[in-house]
Amino acid sequence: MEAWLRTAINQGLIMITVNKPMHIFDTAIALKHGDEGQYKGQTSPNYANMVGPFGGIIGATLLNAIIQHPLRLGDPLSLTVHFSAPIADGAFSVEAKAVRTNRSTQHWYVELIQGEQVAAFATVVTALRRDTWNQLDAIFPQVTPAADIDPMPSIPSAIWTSCYEMKFISGFPGRPSSASNSSESLLWMRDQPARPLDFLSLSALCDAFFPRIFVRRPKPVPIGTVAMTTYFHADAVQLAEQGDAPVLGIARARNFSKGYFDQTAEIWSTSGNLLATTHQIVYFKE
Amino acid sequence: MEAWLRTAINQGLIMITVNKPMHIFDTAIALKHGDEGQYKGQTSPNYANMVGPFGGIIGATLLNAIIQHPLRLGDPLSLTVHFSAPIADGAFSVEAKAVRTNRSTQHWYVELIQGEQVAAFATVVTALRRDTWNQLDAIFPQVTPAADIDPMPSIPSAIWTSCYEMKFISGFPGRPSSASNSSESLLWMRDQPARPLDFLSLSALCDAFFPRIFVRRPKPVPIGTVAMTTYFHADAVQLAEQGDAPVLGIARARNFSKGYFDQTAEIWSTSGNLLATTHQIVYFKE
């Protein structure tokens, strides 16, 4: 650097900023603020699914409306998203309101509106958390490290899959195991390109597991998540500790019946902390 | 019966009705209709908890507002209840609205209001269900039949416990197992007095499991469910088949950390059908 430039910077006459391009995830969930709790957003082609956007990006967008709300108290504890109608590619508006604010918890309701109809909505609890007695009952699976597994190629018809690195240990979709009658999958996963983990990206990762029916049956059928709930077991500091290293995901179903199945998953940090548990109810045809 | 009476009945001149007293559960969740989607209700002393009413009866009351709504399409598929504030003994109002109605699913939002504040709210999916490919992945536990187990005595400080027959196979609260490091309980359960199972009573049973922290730790601490979600795997016909026989419940927690733990449960019919799966996030002190 030339001497005059260094002097000018040191004297505060010039400031140099590096314009780091936004991560595709942050671009996809970005919201433009209007009046308090009112936002505008739009779907991202990067996270397109076969029909409409990837559900996880919609959930993260709704959660983002709460995260950015000036009245927010604490960090996300639970997120329930209802996918109430197909979402068209393009613009939408979001309206968030605090239904009830307590001393250490806050309950939220947020809607995604397209064409004057509610295309998706969510309820959220945010909470101030502090250290207490703690006990992990779930078991962290001992598996092959992510570094030793090749990532799955992305699926051209589901563009959003190119936004995630998925390294399967077991339960690859479309290959039902003859040995076990199970819908379980175990995989390492992270944003692609890598991005430090936070509540927003974790909420989307919770919906990045393939529908269990694709693991359980060789024949693909039309499906759609109807509603999903995520519980966050970690606070912001624990998520920051994970950085952009892969998280371990385990997903399974309990029952497929009369057009619907449930899907439940755990997401673990590399070092064995349970970060989130998540549940969804999924429609399937035939 | 005298001949003249029989003749009068046969001719439709006289109708005899038996006034069977309402079950305490139905009295507790009863709603008085106002304008469309508007109701009045009140807490029931039979289902009182240590502070305010038993959460399961609040969830069932909110679900009842949907069940009784003239615009309802199909049967409950999912129910998420937020316990947003303490509920005082006495009167409350309920407001339910269909957020979005599709061809075979409907998404609902319903609030319980006390003192012009939202004390609890819920989101519901109702759906028309039909026979499809089906597959049960969860395993029905082989346990001692309900007839061979003594019911737990009710807990005087939690009056609602007298409204349920609970027959523990394992995981009795206050007796942490030294053999297993687990928060799991297995028990037969039903309404007391017995009542035929339906979506309403099933939704309340899903919240009748003792908090897992009472099973995991010998020392009782203040707790409160913050939010819970139930998925209904059975349709109305399958629930009716169960009648008033005991259902088998299995509950466990995955993680207790920073003031909150999760609790997940399955409810099975006597014959091994999975009727519901349920998840909640619970606050605990210390």
Side-chain angles (χ1 to χ4, degrees), chain A:
Chain A
M1 197 186 291
E2 292 192 39
W4 67 265
L5 185 54
R6 187 185 305 271
T7 307
I9 293 169
N10 286 343
Q11 291 177 349
L13 299 172
I14 295 176
M15 192 174 69
I16 295 181
T17 57
V18 179
N19 282 321
K20 196 180 160 195
M22 238 174 145
H23 191 280
I24 49 169
F25 178 79
D26 296 289
T27 307
I29 64 163
L31 291 169
K32 219 161 135 178
H33 291 242
D35 291 341
E36 189 179 286
Q38 310 273 322
Y39 308 87
K40 298 278 177 198
Q42 56 180 18
T43 60
S44 159
N46 291 317
Y47 288 85
N49 205 348
M50 297 187 192
V51 180
F54 161 54
I57 212 78
I58 295 302
T61 302
L62 291 170
L63 184 59
N64 199 18
I66 311 299
I67 299 261
Q68 296 197 17
H69 200 288
L71 299 181
R72 174 173 59 89
L73 175 82
D75 283 332
L77 176 69
S78 85
L79 165 68
T80 295
V81 185
H82 282 243
F83 299 98
S84 51
I87 294 170
D89 291 332
F92 54 78
S93 57
V94 173
E95 292 183 24
K97 68 164 181 184
V99 178
R100 184 93 187 211
T101 301
N102 300 307
R103 211 164 41 172
S104 69
T105 59
Q106 202 172 31
H107 293 256
W108 294 87
Y109 178 73
V110 52
E111 290 184 338
L112 186 150
I113 296 148
Q114 232 181 11
E116 293 175 17
Q117 295 247 49
V118 181
F121 60 101
T123 59
V124 173
V125 179
T126 54
L128 298 170
R129 302 186 74 161
R130 54 191 176 73
D131 285 331
T132 56
W133 175 80
N134 65 83
Q135 179 67 52
L136 177 63
D137 269 17
I139 294 162
F140 180 56
Q142 293 304 318
V143 297
T144 309
D148 299 344
I149 303 173
D150 286 332
M152 184 197 86
S154 68
I155 300 167
S157 59
I159 297 170
W160 69 272
T161 57
S162 68
C163 303
Y164 290 99
E165 182 188 86
M166 299 189 193
K167 294 180 165 184
F168 276 85
I169 296 140
S170 63
F172 194 86
R175 294 188 207 149
S177 164
S178 53
S180 80
N181 285 325
S182 162
S183 61
E184 185 177 285
S185 291
L186 248 159
L187 68 156
W188 292 103
M189 54 211 300
R190 66 169 165 181
D191 287 294
Q192 185 169 272
R195 176 190 179 280
L197 192 69
D198 59 16
F199 289 105
L200 294 162
S201 61
L202 179 55
S203 79
L205 275 164
C206 284
D207 199 23
F209 296 94
F210 291 110
R212 296 300 90 198
I213 203 165
F214 292 180
V215 178
R216 198 66 168 87
R217 289 175 82 181
K219 174 192 163 200
V221 290
I223 63 96
T225 299
V226 179
M228 74 178 281
T229 290
T230 298
Y231 298 140
F232 299 98
H233 293 264
D235 62 14
V237 173
Q238 288 170 307
L239 296 188
E241 282 168 4
Q242 174 67 15
D244 63 8
V247 294
L248 182 64
I250 309 159
R252 55 179 77 92
R254 282 192 171 93
N255 193 33
F256 306 79
S257 174
K258 294 185 184 283
Y260 293 89
F261 65 90
D262 67 318
Q263 175 161 328
T264 183
E266 298 164 4
I267 291 194
W268 295 83
S269 78
T270 321
S271 58
N273 288 317
L274 186 59
L275 302 178
T277 51
T278 182
H279 313 279
Q280 57 179 269
I281 187 91
V282 186
Y283 162 82
F284 70 96
K285 199 173 175 179
E286 287 159 34

Side-chain angles (χ1 to χ4, degrees), chain A residues 82 84 100 102 107 117 123 129 131-132 135 137-138 183 216 235 254 256-259 266 279, chain B residues 82 84 100 102 107 117 123 129-132 135 137-138 183 216 235 254 256-259 266 279:
Chain A
H82 282 243
S84 51
R100 184 93 187 211
N102 300 307
H107 293 256
Q117 295 247 49
T123 59
R129 302 186 74 161
D131 285 331
T132 56
Q135 179 67 52
D137 269 17
S183 61
R216 198 66 168 87
D235 62 14
R254 282 192 171 93
F256 306 79
S257 174
K258 294 185 184 283
E266 298 164 4
H279 313 279
Chain B
H82 282 243
S84 51
R100 184 93 188 212
N102 301 308
H107 294 256
Q117 294 247 51
T123 59
R129 303 185 73 161
R130 52 192 178 73
D131 285 333
T132 55
Q135 179 66 53
D137 269 17
S183 60
R216 198 64 167 88
D235 63 14
R254 283 192 170 94
F256 306 79
S257 173
K258 294 184 184 284
E266 297 165 4
H279 312 280

Side-chain angles (χ1 to χ4, degrees), chain B residues 127-276:
Chain B
L128 298 171
R129 303 185 73 161
R130 52 192 178 73
D131 285 333
T132 55
W133 175 81
N134 65 83
Q135 179 66 53
L136 178 63
D137 269 17
I139 294 162
F140 180 55
Q142 294 304 319
V143 297
T144 310
D148 299 344
I149 304 173
D150 287 332
M152 184 195 85
S154 68
I155 300 167
S157 60
I159 296 170
W160 69 272
T161 56
S162 67
C163 304
Y164 290 99
E165 182 188 87
M166 298 190 194
K167 295 179 166 185
F168 276 85
I169 296 139
S170 63
F172 193 86
R175 295 189 206 148
S177 163
S178 53
S180 79
N181 285 326
S182 162
S183 60
E184 186 177 284
S185 291
L186 249 159
L187 67 156
W188 292 104
M189 52 210 302
R190 65 169 164 180
D191 287 293
Q192 187 168 270
R195 176 188 178 282
L197 192 69
D198 59 16
F199 288 105
L200 295 162
S201 62
L202 179 55
S203 79
L205 274 165
C206 284
D207 200 24
F209 296 94
F210 291 110
R212 296 299 90 196
I213 203 165
F214 292 180
V215 178
R216 198 64 167 88
R217 289 174 83 181
K219 174 192 161 198
V221 291
I223 62 97
T225 299
V226 178
M228 73 177 283
T229 290
T230 297
Y231 298 140
F232 299 98
H233 293 265
D235 63 14
V237 173
Q238 289 170 306
L239 296 189
E241 282 167 4
Q242 175 66 16
D244 63 7
V247 294
L248 182 64
I250 309 160
R252 55 178 78 92
R254 283 192 170 94
N255 194 31
F256 306 79
S257 173
K258 294 184 184 284
Y260 293 89
F261 65 90
D262 67 318
Q263 176 161 328
T264 184
E266 297 165 4
I267 290 193
W268 296 83
S269 78
T270 320
S271 59
N273 288 318
L274 185 60
L275 301 178

